[in-house]
């Protein structure tokens, strides 16, 4: 351990904070807030009703961060309701603990108190607490004020007990400029207008956690609809975006009806607003009755790609399901964050699949959620789903693939294990039992157990309490199947490969219904005549399988003969690729498997084909500047894509399958990456039409058109793309242009991109995407690395509290495969070490080690294989 790490550990230990809820339990807050005319300052008064518990002491402690406290009054309330003022002798702000301590000369006995605090604060731009959003209407600069309190930023707005367990009711009054719309968690009850100032008061909220309190003030437009049960649903946007919220509104209404029925619990409020904010740190936030979004995750117009439209539906469904799962029943502490996020990440699919069955969303779940989780959780420096959290500063780092995607994946497995009806009835039981309260993971298992009669706790415990997941190695002998398990870790050097955890694994084979193995090595009776054998059918299990050669051969024939389902073909290929990366088989084994997919026509398997080829090309290139592998792959990729290219063509057919519409851009971009001549010509043509005649490009092809123009273009294309970026109001189009502007080959253009990052053209909310993309381009990764080191302090200042900042080390590491760089990486990040980047730094190291080892094993073999194909 070096000096730096030592210091950091010590500081960190000291910050292992005590929970304030253990000594004060608030029941109600009256909050008055005044947003000043300059929109940079606020002041307010909060009256907190609650109960002091524990031993008598001479102080009361609340959370606050960055607030000035002008006045404090403590009133003790006797059992007979007699009120006595307890003089406050000192008001102390304890900054490193985010605390406010009210000291008294007299002992404060356990019992009821009413605490009044007057405070003021500054509105800062870093998109949490109370913050401004900037936008322009008809050339006029405007601002609106919004809040983001999850995970622990309510304390930046008003003093409170800012922990999820400290549930209370809230009554909010907001003073703001007249003429502006003010939104809160609940309906407006009164509005008092006094010239240019208005005081808007909202109805009292249900009992809820502080992180779900929210308000928005500013010039907003809305559209409205009613749910089946008469709940008013509105979508709000800035004025010039309002017609782009109709799709979100349609999904919101349908999803509301779906959830009320699925949970058998009415939505607890009388209204629910969905607000698209011009500046927003994450994707969306489930504030109770006032859900907030970044524009990209809520708005759709004629420039929106199908993928983004699907994502809008998913985000709406995700945040709406939190209104029950998260808001009505809340995790007791952040350790169980996954209960909120993993659950919502599963339920969003169930809801949207019901609303749009033609989207075949569960196959996309397997690729987008489950495969992402399997990759992330194959690292040694992953974490268990249930993760200890000692200090709120750590919370940010666990809003990650493990809490979301692995959480969703193990619930998917459980849903299959229990059956959909028991799963649903168990959830209803859980929500009804813990409504307006808090719960832990074991509470959910107990509810599901009570309803289903199955040993849920035993089945799930290992999956949620241990890091990683198993690789099941399978061979068949005469009359049995031999299955042995070990933890699957991609890095061959990792000591986690020796992990002795044993998971209960459902085999999920048609021929072996209900079989669960939990031994290191298990023998299952099985007759060989039943082959081709396929385990984890439908991919509901969270594990990978490595089959013996013999079994594999039968499977590959089945692939060719179309005997395996779309999702199972995808699973086989993905398992094949990941075990290759991890060194369990050679790259030629994988490429031979891939050859059996020559006739593939379905999206899920194609997603794996495309991503595995791109990873292979990216990681196994021989040296910086050596394009031999890249060149050798081109003829293979051209041949592989030619059938589908012909079948799908360039234009969407009126009655084509949804998954074909999603497949087309993927095939075209694969062909373009192999420099397939006709494809390049056609893409160039589309680009020129757009630039010269302003002809709309099919939004699904737009990213490929722009990226190809940049990859093969220069300063002229840079200027054109930059003007389009500035001109468009579509955040989806902006994202495509981001991919393009970071795809140039010329170093002077990279320099221009890097300079752009520090200008107003790029919103702070988008900065981490730009950085991630700059690193992905092999021509700009070195320059970006230099830029990152030179500008670290600036970056920390502007996005230091965002999730994107915590992920930067991984964004860097996944693009380098040389030992020398590994040293530079280590030196730099160790000198900048702090809790939020620690895990990402360690994961980055591990990713590089894995890639370096893979490169040493397979780079030459891959090159030789592709060359031999020509
Ligand atoms: N509760 C989160 C938002 C959040 C994330 C708050 C991180 C604080 C820190 C919300 O429900 C969420 O999960 N949003 C996702 C989008 C979702 C569809 C996966 C997000 O922001 O990416
Ligand atoms: Zn969520």
């Amino acid at each position: 351990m070096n000096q730096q790490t030592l210091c950091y550990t010590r500081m960190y230990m000291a910050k292992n904070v005590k929970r304030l809820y253990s000594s004060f339990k608030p029941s109600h807050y009256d909050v008055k807030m005044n947003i000043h005319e300059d929109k940079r300052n606020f002041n307010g008064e909060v009256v907190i009703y609650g109960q002091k518990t524990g031993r008598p002491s001479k102080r009361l402690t609340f959370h606050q961060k960055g607030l000035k406290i002008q006045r404090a009054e403590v009133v003790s309330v006797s059992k007979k309701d007699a009120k006595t003022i307890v003089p406050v002798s000192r008001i102390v702000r304890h900054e490193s603990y985010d605390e406010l301590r009210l000291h008294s000369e007299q002992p404060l006995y356990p019992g009821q108190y009413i605490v009044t605090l007057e405070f003021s604060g500054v509105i800062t731009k870093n998109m949490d607490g109370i913050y401004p959003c900037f936008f322009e209407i008809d050339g006029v600069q405007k601002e609106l004020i919004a809040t983001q309190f999850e995970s622990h930023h309510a304390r930046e707005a008003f003093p409170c007990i800012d922990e999820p367990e400290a549930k209370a009711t809230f009554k909010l009054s907001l003073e703001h400029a007249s003429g502006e719309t003010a939104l809160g968690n609940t309906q407006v009850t009164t509005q008092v207008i006094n010239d240019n100032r208005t005081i808007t008061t909202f109805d009292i909220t249900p009992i809820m956690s502080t992180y779900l309190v929210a308000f928005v003030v500013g010039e907003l437009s809305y559209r409205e609809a009613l749910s089946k049960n008469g709940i008013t649903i509105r979508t709000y946007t800035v004025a010039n975006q309002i017609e782009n919220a109709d799709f979100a509104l349609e999904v919101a209404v349908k999803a509301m009806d779906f959830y009320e029925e699925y949970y058998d619990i009415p939505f607890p409020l009388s209204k629910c607003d969905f607000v698209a904010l011009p500046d927003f740190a994450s994707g969306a936030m489930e504030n109770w009755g006032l859900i907030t979004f970044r524009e990209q995750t809520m708005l759709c117009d004629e420039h929106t790609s199908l993928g983004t439209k699907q994502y809008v539906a998913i985000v709406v469904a995700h945040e709406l399901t939190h209104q029950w799962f998260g808001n009505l029943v809340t995790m007791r502490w952040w350790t169980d964050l996954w209960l909120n996020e993993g659950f919502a990440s599963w339920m969003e699919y169930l809801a949207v699949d019901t609303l749009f069955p033609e989207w075949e969303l569960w196959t996309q779940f397997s690729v987008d959620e489950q495969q992402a989780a399997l990759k992330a959780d194959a690292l040694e420096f992953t974490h268990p789903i249930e993760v200890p959290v000692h200090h709120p500063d750590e919370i940010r780092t666990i809003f990650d693939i493990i809490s979301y995607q692995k959480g969703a994946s193990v619930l998917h497995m459980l849903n299959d294990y229990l059956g959909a009806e028991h799963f649903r009835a168990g959830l209803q039981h859980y929500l009804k039992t813990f409504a307006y309260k808090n719960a832990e993971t074991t509470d959910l298992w107990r509810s599901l157990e009570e309803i289903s009669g199955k040993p849920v706790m035993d089945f799930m415990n290992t999956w949620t309490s241990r890091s990683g997941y198993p690789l099941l190695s399978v061979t068949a002998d005469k009359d049995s199947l031999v299955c042995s398990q070990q933890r699957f870790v991609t890095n061959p050097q990792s000591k986690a490969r020796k992990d002795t955890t044993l998971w209960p694994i459902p085999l999920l084979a048609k021929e072996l219904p209900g079989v669960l193995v939990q031994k290191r090595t298990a023998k299952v009776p099985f007759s060989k005549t039943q082959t081709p054998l396929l385990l984890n059918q439908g991919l509901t299990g969270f594990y990978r399988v490595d089959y013996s050669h013999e079994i594999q051969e039968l499977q590959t024939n089945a692939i060719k003969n179309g005997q395996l389902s779309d999702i199972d073909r995808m699973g086989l290929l993905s398992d094949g690729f990941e075990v290759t990366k991890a060194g369990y088989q050679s790259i030629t084994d994988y490429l031979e498997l891939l050859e059996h997919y020559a006739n593939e026509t379905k999206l899920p398997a194609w997603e794996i084909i495309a991503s595995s080829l791109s990873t292979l090309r990216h990681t196994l290139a021989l040296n910086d500047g050596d394009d031999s592998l890249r060149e050798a792959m081109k003829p293979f990729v051209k041949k592989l894509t030619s059938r589908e290219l012909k079948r799908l063509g360039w234009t969407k057919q009126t009655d084509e399958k949804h998954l074909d519409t999603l497949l087309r851009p993927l095939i075209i971009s694969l062909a373009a990456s192999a420099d397939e001549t006709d494809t390049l010509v056609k893409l160039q043509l589309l680009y020129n039409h757009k630039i010269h005649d302003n002809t709309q490009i099919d939004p699904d092809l737009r990213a490929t058109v722009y990226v190809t123009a940049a990859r093969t273009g220069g300063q002229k294309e840079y200027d054109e793309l930059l003007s389009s970026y500035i001109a468009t109001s579509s955040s989806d189009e902006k994202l495509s242009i981001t991919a393009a502007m970071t795809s140039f080959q010329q170093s002077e253009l990279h320099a221009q991109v890097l300079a752009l990052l520090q200008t107003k053209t790029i919103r702070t909310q988008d900065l981490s995407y730009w950085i991630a993309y700059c690193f992905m381009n092999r021509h700009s990764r070195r320059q970006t690395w230099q830029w990152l080191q030179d500008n670290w302090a600036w970056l920390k200042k502007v996005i230091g509290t965002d999730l994107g900042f915590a992920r930067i080390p991984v964004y860097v590491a996944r693009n380098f495969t040389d030992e020398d760089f590994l040293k530079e990486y280590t030196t730099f990040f160790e000198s900048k070490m702090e809790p939020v980047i620690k895990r990402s730094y360690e994961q980055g190291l591990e990713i590089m080690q894995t890639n370096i080892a893979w490169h040493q094993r397979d780079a030459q073999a891959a090159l030789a294989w592709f060359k031999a194909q020509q």
Side-chain angles (χ1 to χ4, degrees):
M1 201 185 276
N2 64 22
Q3 195 54 39
Q4 196 75 34
T5 342
L6 250 174
C7 282
Y8 144 74
T9 312
R10 231 177 261 137
M11 177 188 88
Y12 184 64
M13 302 288 280
K15 284 185 89 180
N16 195 342
V17 295
K18 186 171 173 272
R19 308 239 193 114
L20 300 186
Y21 182 68
S22 61
S23 46
F24 193 85
K25 305 197 176 352
S27 55
H28 176 74
Y29 293 81
D30 276 323
V31 188
K32 288 194 186 117
M33 290 289 248
N34 176 9
I35 307 295
H36 296 185
E37 230 171 312
D38 63 5
K39 292 196 162 68
R40 287 294 168 276
N41 293 278
F42 64 95
N43 72 302
E45 182 194 89
V46 59
V47 185
I48 309 174
Y49 298 75
Q51 188 187 12
K52 179 181 161 59
T53 54
R55 278 181 289 150
S57 69
K58 288 188 171 174
R59 71 174 192 218
L60 289 177
T61 310
F62 300 93
H63 285 116
Q64 68 79 31
K65 189 173 177 193
L67 299 177
K68 284 210 174 86
I69 308 297
Q70 275 87 20
R71 188 175 78 88
E73 183 191 86
V74 174
V75 172
S76 141
V77 185
S78 75
K79 290 216 174 78
K80 290 191 180 139
D81 214 23
K83 299 189 173 75
T84 326
I85 292 186
V86 187
V88 175
S89 55
R90 273 187 311 138
I91 303 174
V92 180
R93 290 191 317 173
H94 209 301
E95 294 301 344
S96 68
Y97 288 87
D98 293 355
E99 282 178 5
L100 161 70
R101 296 178 183 174
L102 305 179
H103 293 265
S104 167
E105 297 297 327
Q106 302 172 11
L108 295 154
Y109 294 98
Q112 296 297 324
Y113 286 84
I114 303 171
V115 180
T116 304
L117 296 156
E118 278 176 28
F119 56 90
S120 60
V122 177
I123 297 177
T124 54
K125 292 182 191 164
N126 48 351
M127 295 183 286
D128 50 38
I130 306 176
Y131 73 94
C133 298
F134 301 91
F135 60 105
E136 197 184 296
I137 305 269
D138 299 331
V140 183
Q141 300 293 326
K142 312 227 167 185
E143 280 180 34
L144 55 82
I145 295 294
T147 59
Q148 169 62 43
F149 290 171
E150 193 178 12
S151 51
H152 56 296
H153 305 293
R155 63 189 70 175
E156 295 167 30
F158 58 92
C160 54
I161 304 285
D162 197 12
E163 292 163 6
E165 196 176 1
K167 285 193 171 189
T169 52
F170 296 81
K171 190 154 177 58
L172 175 69
S173 262
L174 268 181
E175 183 179 334
H176 55 93
S178 295
E180 291 185 331
T181 303
L183 304 173
N185 297 92
T186 45
Q187 301 268 23
V188 172
T189 49
T190 59
Q191 211 162 35
V192 180
I193 304 173
N194 216 331
D195 291 337
N196 60 347
R197 302 295 290 167
T198 295
I199 297 177
T200 303
T201 303
F202 301 92
D203 209 353
I204 187 168
T205 70
I207 296 170
M208 62 189 277
S209 304
T210 46
Y211 80 90
L212 293 167
V213 174
F215 57 84
V216 176
V217 190
E219 279 181 41
L220 291 163
S221 306
Y222 72 87
R223 293 267 163 97
E224 181 180 304
L226 282 186
S227 78
K228 225 187 252 166
N229 278 344
I231 293 147
T232 307
I233 296 179
R234 285 181 179 176
T235 43
Y236 281 88
T237 71
V238 298
N240 58 1
Q241 295 277 14
I242 190 60
E243 61 271 26
N244 303 332
D246 289 346
F247 179 65
L249 184 61
E250 177 198 330
V251 175
V253 173
K254 288 184 178 156
M256 179 68 87
D257 296 340
F258 171 78
Y259 289 137
E260 288 201 318
E261 201 194 312
Y262 183 89
Y263 292 130
D264 188 33
I265 300 175
F267 181 71
L269 302 169
S270 59
K271 67 97 178 171
C272 192
D273 296 325
F274 295 73
V275 191
L277 294 170
D279 288 293
F280 196 80
S282 59
M285 175 66 209
E286 70 267 26
N287 314 299
W288 218 352
L290 179 59
I291 306 176
T292 46
F293 296 76
R294 70 163 59 201
E295 289 185 339
Q296 197 184 315
T297 60
M298 195 180 118
L299 305 180
C300 290
D301 63 10
E302 74 278 12
H303 302 291
T304 306
S305 62
L306 195 55
T308 301
K309 188 171 172 190
Q310 233 180 233
Y311 195 59
V312 166
I314 284 200
V315 181
V316 167
H318 176 108
E319 304 310 337
L320 197 59
T321 217
H322 274 315
Q323 310 296 305
W324 287 262
F325 219 102
N327 301 7
L328 183 63
V329 179
T330 312
M331 72 250 147
R332 189 175 306 290
W333 181 244
W334 300 105
T335 296
D336 284 314
L337 173 75
W338 88 276
L339 270 185
N340 268 11
E341 299 303 349
F343 183 82
S345 301
W346 182 81
M347 188 47 98
E348 70 198 27
Y349 279 85
L350 188 71
V352 179
D353 183 57
T354 311
L355 305 189
F356 303 96
E358 69 281 12
W359 287 359
E360 297 183 55
L361 220 53
W362 285 109
T363 64
Q364 302 185 55
F365 175 88
S366 288
V367 179
D368 298 340
E369 314 294 324
Q370 197 188 29
Q371 291 300 326
L374 287 165
K375 276 187 210 162
D377 206 30
L379 296 174
E380 176 184 341
F381 288 97
T382 175
H383 61 81
I385 285 182
E386 294 173 81
V387 51
V389 173
H390 308 289
H391 188 276
D393 282 355
E394 286 171 69
I395 301 168
R396 214 164 4 131
T397 68
I398 63 168
F399 281 86
D400 65 357
I401 296 183
I402 301 303
S403 304
Y404 281 73
Q405 277 98 333
K406 185 180 178 185
S409 302
V410 299
L411 289 170
H412 195 49
M413 181 161 68
L414 181 61
N415 176 58
D416 190 67
Y417 174 72
L418 296 179
E421 269 320 305
H422 275 158
F423 190 67
R424 172 184 177 170
L427 291 176
Q428 290 181 355
H429 179 48
Y430 167 81
L431 288 174
K432 287 174 185 172
T433 311
F434 296 96
Y436 302 105
K437 298 195 197 107
N438 297 80
E440 292 167 1
T441 301
T442 47
D443 295 320
L444 177 59
W445 299 160
R446 216 167 291 127
S447 295
L448 289 161
E449 227 164 60
E450 274 172 37
I451 297 293
S452 70
K454 281 198 172 174
V456 177
M457 193 98 74
D458 285 349
F459 178 57
M460 290 304 283
N461 186 42
T462 319
W463 296 101
T464 57
S465 67
R466 308 301 299 248
S467 290
Y469 62 88
L471 172 70
L472 196 65
S473 304
V474 185
T475 53
D477 60 25
K478 216 167 58 275
D479 48 12
S480 64
L481 212 60
V482 185
C483 304
S484 38
Q485 59 165 297
Q486 69 183 113
R487 178 164 165 197
F488 181 68
V489 182
T490 358
N491 181 6
Q493 293 168 34
S494 167
K495 60 178 187 313
R497 284 212 176 173
K498 303 215 168 64
D499 188 335
T500 55
T501 307
L502 293 175
W503 286 266
I505 308 175
L507 290 187
L508 303 170
K510 247 194 330 286
E511 305 84 348
L512 303 163
V515 179
L516 207 75
V517 297
Q518 193 169 8
K519 293 207 188 112
R520 172 77 45 224
T521 300
K523 266 194 161 199
V524 185
F526 181 76
S527 113
K528 261 197 183 176
T529 51
Q530 291 169 321
T531 48
L533 167 82
L534 186 73
L535 301 187
N536 200 7
Q537 284 178 25
L539 292 189
T540 48
F542 193 72
Y543 59 94
R544 294 203 185 272
V545 194
D546 188 22
Y547 298 97
S548 68
H549 242 37
E550 201 188 356
I551 304 180
Q552 228 168 15
E553 233 159 78
L554 291 160
Q555 286 171 340
T556 44
N557 287 332
I559 297 173
K560 269 198 288 200
N561 304 336
Q563 287 166 282
L564 303 185
S565 74
D566 297 354
I567 210 169
D568 289 333
R569 284 199 308 284
M570 182 277 283
L572 267 188
L573 193 64
S574 174
D575 283 0
F577 185 62
E578 296 304 320
V579 301
T580 305
K581 264 186 6 197
Y584 290 94
Q585 67 174 24
S586 80
I587 189 72
T588 48
D589 291 330
Y590 174 69
L591 291 167
E592 274 156 25
L593 173 65
L594 184 59
E595 283 193 301
H596 292 90
Y597 287 74
N599 298 335
E600 181 60 53
T601 58
K602 293 294 170 52
L603 181 70
W606 268 110
E607 296 247 27
I608 305 300
I609 297 173
S611 65
S612 66
L613 288 174
S614 129
T615 305
L616 193 158
R617 182 172 47 211
H618 200 65
T619 316
L620 299 188
L622 289 182
N623 289 305
D624 240 1
D626 180 345
D627 279 344
S628 50
L629 177 67
R630 194 165 275 275
E631 290 304 320
M633 286 177 74
K634 284 179 185 172
F636 175 81
V637 175
K638 278 183 209 166
K639 195 162 132 220
L640 191 68
T641 47
S642 64
R643 270 177 58 120
E644 286 302 279
L645 212 49
K646 212 172 288 149
R647 179 177 77 85
L648 294 163
W650 284 74
T651 23
K652 189 177 165 182
Q653 306 301 307
T654 34
D655 54 354
E656 84 180 6
K657 286 203 149 201
H658 180 80
L659 292 192
D660 273 347
T661 315
L662 290 176
L663 180 58
R664 180 177 296 107
L666 186 131
I667 297 290
I668 290 178
S669 95
L670 247 181
S673 75
D675 289 338
E676 203 278 320
T677 323
D678 290 348
T679 307
L680 288 188
V681 169
K682 182 86 187 172
L683 289 168
Q684 197 63 52
L685 205 68
L686 290 173
Y687 179 76
N688 288 337
H689 279 324
K690 151 83 184 150
I691 296 298
H692 301 301
D693 320 323
N694 207 16
T695 315
Q696 221 258 231
I697 306 170
D698 173 355
D700 296 320
L701 297 180
R702 186 182 53 220
T704 312
V705 170
Y706 287 166
V707 167
T708 306
R711 204 165 59 78
T712 55
Q715 186 72 52
K716 178 174 152 297
E717 286 74 15
Y718 178 94
D719 295 337
E720 289 161 355
L721 287 165
L722 179 57
S723 321
S724 304
Y725 188 86
I726 294 167
T728 185
S729 58
S730 153
S731 45
D732 197 37
E733 176 158 28
K734 276 198 197 309
L735 199 61
S736 314
I737 303 177
T738 307
M741 288 186 66
T742 50
S743 295
F744 283 97
Q745 307 209 12
Q746 301 84 339
S747 113
E748 63 278 11
L749 297 180
H750 305 148
Q752 289 176 38
V753 169
L754 292 169
L756 196 66
L757 301 187
Q758 287 174 308
T759 66
K760 281 220 169 96
T761 305
I762 290 163
R763 284 181 189 266
T764 311
Q765 64 166 11
D766 300 325
L767 202 52
S768 53
Y769 299 171
W770 279 83
I771 295 171
Y773 281 146
C774 285
F775 274 110
M776 276 153 70
N777 178 348
R778 70 192 194 287
H779 301 288
S780 64
R781 62 186 171 187
R782 282 250 151 224
Q783 236 166 306
T784 310
W785 173 236
Q786 191 54 49
W787 176 89
L788 186 81
Q789 295 175 82
D790 296 344
N791 293 286
W792 187 257
W794 173 79
L795 209 58
K796 189 168 148 64
K797 194 178 91 215
V798 292
I799 58 164
T801 57
D802 292 358
L803 285 175
F805 182 75
R807 294 179 185 153
I808 285 180
V810 165
Y811 292 163
V812 178
R814 62 190 181 191
N815 300 294
F816 290 91
T817 332
D818 54 290
E819 303 265 9
D820 290 342
F821 184 79
L822 194 139
K823 287 185 204 117
E824 283 181 48
Y825 171 91
T826 315
T827 312
F828 178 70
F829 283 115
E830 287 206 345
S831 75
K832 303 291 175 206
M833 195 45 68
E834 56 177 308
V836 292
I837 58 168
K838 184 146 194 293
R839 200 190 306 275
S840 170
Y841 163 72
E842 287 164 340
Q843 291 176 342
L845 257 185
E846 202 185 338
I847 290 169
M848 271 193 282
Q849 283 169 357
T850 306
N851 286 344
I852 290 169
W854 185 31
H855 190 275
Q856 280 165 0
R857 283 195 317 271
D858 276 341
Q860 290 295 352
L863 179 62
W865 192 89
F866 284 112
K867 279 193 169 158
Q869 304 298 305
Q870 294 169 14

